[in-house]
Amino acid sequence: MESNGIIRIDDENFEFPIIEGTEQEKALDLRTLRAKTGFVAFDEGYGNTGSCESAITFINGEKGILRHRGYPIEQLAEHSNFVETAYLIINGELPTAASLNAFEGNVLRSGTLNANMISLFKGFNTSAHPMAMLSSIVNALGTYNAQYATNVRKIDLEHFDTAATLLMSKVRSIAALSYRMKVGLPLDIESDSSKFYTEDFLTMMFSKPEIEYEDTCGAAKALDLFFLLHADHEQNCSTSTVRMVASSGANLFASISAGISALWGPSHGGANMAVIEMLESIHASGDDGSRFIEAAKSGKAKLMGFGHRVYKNYDPRAKILGKSAIKVLEKIGVNDPLLDIASRLEKAALEDDYFVSRKLYPNVDFYSGIILKAIGIPVEFFTVMFAIGRIPGWMANWKEIAKNSKSRIHRPRQIYTGSNERNFVKLEKRG
Ligand code: ACO
């Protein structure tokens, strides 16, 4: 049964339809608000705004639930892997053995970059941030595959499957090459399609001349889990950016390049770097964590890796990664003091009224940096790892926008707070 909600302004009532999602989330459909009332909805930060209908990921932040296409993240983490989960997120269904084989084969065979693209890496300073390189080169990748990046929706959609496998594969080579450029390793690497997705990536990144990278401590498996846990996360800042750019008709590569830039910020994907920097500075200062907690409570510091716009309960990915961090360090035989500091901070924060009353729990970034550090990923590349993991989610969201023939360009309104109309005074008369 269709139901309506009423907004009363002065003494007039305005009716708006109520729409309901498959998990009973309700929204007031305000698409006609301005036309009917002359008002716009003011929701800075979009905390109460449903910007789209989407069938990809469901989050219930109060209960700590995360599901992709209906499958709980805990089940995917236990039984699936990154490539299969990527297929699920992009296509909506778990693959059959044959379709997984075909998808995986296409991804694994598309890793090597066009030789001309290698010169792009040589144009960057060695101090260039890898997220800036990733964003630029993903956009450039579109120019090397211009037939899939036309900005003509129908054509870009027809080539989506090929473009998606290519992007998912080559993002690893881009990340590996930016690392190699920065540390002065040769850039003449090739992807090896006989290796599994994450293993091939680590080999491209860390192999030295004559010494092929060997995964002796389960690094590929741990990184695969990290990628899987980052594969999609509903309408977060970077995904909304991808959708915003896609809404203008921009191609997949350009839209994802914009998403990478949005992810770079420390309040979003950059938080995993910030967590390690925070833990290292606590360690260096000889603090057991208690002084830092006090600083966070007084607003002098922020407990990075804590808090989330949507989760007001434990981020389910943080639980899985916390356990994984312990296992990885055990396997490598490393006793990282940062893990102890993190556990102490977590325990202290979960018992402290400041954090409890604000519903601040560990998010996915709290333990992920410890895992990445243990497997040898430099801190500057942490957010790049997040971006590799998030590619499937961004692509699925791009496709959702592109396939929707009714989708309109995203164009919010504002409340203007500047000067009223003024008369221009010529420079010579301004004194
Ligand atoms: N440490 C200390 N206090 C915090 C923290 C924190 N990490 N996060 C929020 N608070 C406090 C705020 O100061 C505010 O307190 P107040 O009510 O006394 O003013 C209250 O909790 C509410 O916080 P908001 O900033 O309103 O929460 P918002 O939803 O806007 O921000 C965010 C969420 C950006 C994630 C924030 O919690 C944060 O900065 N956390 C640290 C950075 C981080 O870990 N980011 C990763 C997010 S997950 C991801 O992108 C994968």
Side-chain angles (χ1 to χ4, degrees), residues 138-417:
V138 162
N139 211 348
L141 189 60
T143 69
Y144 285 82
N145 296 275
Q147 70 278 32
Y148 313 139
T150 62
N151 287 4
V152 178
R153 265 214 179 132
K154 189 172 168 296
I155 300 175
D156 289 349
L157 263 177
E158 275 165 14
H159 292 112
F160 174 82
D161 288 346
T162 315
T165 47
L166 194 146
L167 193 45
M168 194 168 146
S169 193
K170 291 195 197 309
V171 69
R172 298 169 305 162
S173 323
I174 298 172
L177 277 165
S178 36
Y179 170 74
R180 298 181 73 84
M181 185 280 283
K182 283 176 82 72
V183 298
L185 281 168
L187 302 183
D188 56 344
I189 52 163
E190 281 196 5
S191 163
D192 177 352
S193 61
S194 70
K195 290 196 161 78
F196 195 60
Y197 183 88
T198 312
E199 187 192 2
D200 185 27
F201 166 54
L202 288 171
T203 309
M204 285 194 281
M205 184 141 166
F206 292 125
S207 291
K208 303 206 166 88
E210 316 299 330
I211 313 170
E212 186 166 298
Y213 171 81
E214 215 185 316
D215 177 12
T216 50
C217 60
K221 198 157 177 261
L223 191 57
D224 198 78
L225 176 66
F226 171 93
F227 287 155
L228 182 153
L229 291 174
H230 286 78
D232 190 42
H233 210 237
E234 212 227 50
Q235 301 312 315
N236 55 81
C237 174
S238 57
T239 302
S240 301
T241 301
V242 169
R243 288 186 84 113
M244 168 81 79
V245 176
S247 79
S248 75
N251 66 74
L252 183 68
F253 299 87
S255 306
I256 286 181
S257 162
I260 293 168
S261 297
L263 186 71
W264 189 4
S267 295
H268 191 9
N272 55 16
M273 277 170 62
V275 169
I276 287 292
E277 281 156 8
M278 172 189 79
L279 294 174
E280 278 172 345
S281 82
I282 293 174
H283 183 52
S285 70
D287 176 16
D288 65 353
S290 46
R291 271 189 275 144
F292 193 87
I293 291 272
E294 288 311 311
K297 284 161 64 176
S298 65
K300 289 192 193 115
K302 210 170 213 187
L303 184 50
M304 299 310 287
F306 255 70
H308 199 278
R309 174 59 62 79
V310 176
Y311 291 117
K312 300 301 168 199
N313 199 323
Y314 233 101
D315 176 341
R317 302 165 302 168
K319 273 193 192 156
I320 300 169
L321 276 179
K323 284 189 202 142
S324 169
I326 296 167
K327 271 198 211 149
V328 170
L329 294 188
E330 268 173 14
K331 207 156 183 195
I332 299 175
V334 176
N335 187 6
D336 189 342
L338 301 194
L339 183 61
D340 292 338
I341 296 175
S343 314
R344 274 203 301 277
L345 283 176
E346 180 184 353
K347 192 164 177 296
L350 294 178
E351 287 168 358
D352 192 302
D353 186 55
Y354 174 92
F355 295 91
V356 174
S357 63
R358 287 169 179 76
K359 299 192 166 109
L360 299 170
Y361 292 89
N363 61 48
V364 69
D365 292 318
F366 194 63
Y367 284 107
S368 63
I370 291 173
I371 297 176
L372 295 176
K373 182 170 168 266
I375 61 182
I377 306 289
V379 175
E380 223 188 6
F381 277 79
F382 284 7
T383 317
V384 172
M385 300 304 116
F386 189 155
I388 297 176
R390 185 53 56 85
I391 292 281
W394 287 333
M395 294 198 297
N397 276 277
W398 182 92
K399 189 177 168 191
E400 215 169 53
I401 287 264
K403 276 182 84 172
N404 179 359
S405 57
K406 293 200 186 108
S407 88
R408 302 173 73 204
I409 187 165
H410 289 194
R411 201 322 187 170
R413 297 269 176 173
Q414 64 167 20
I415 302 298
Y416 175 69
T417 58

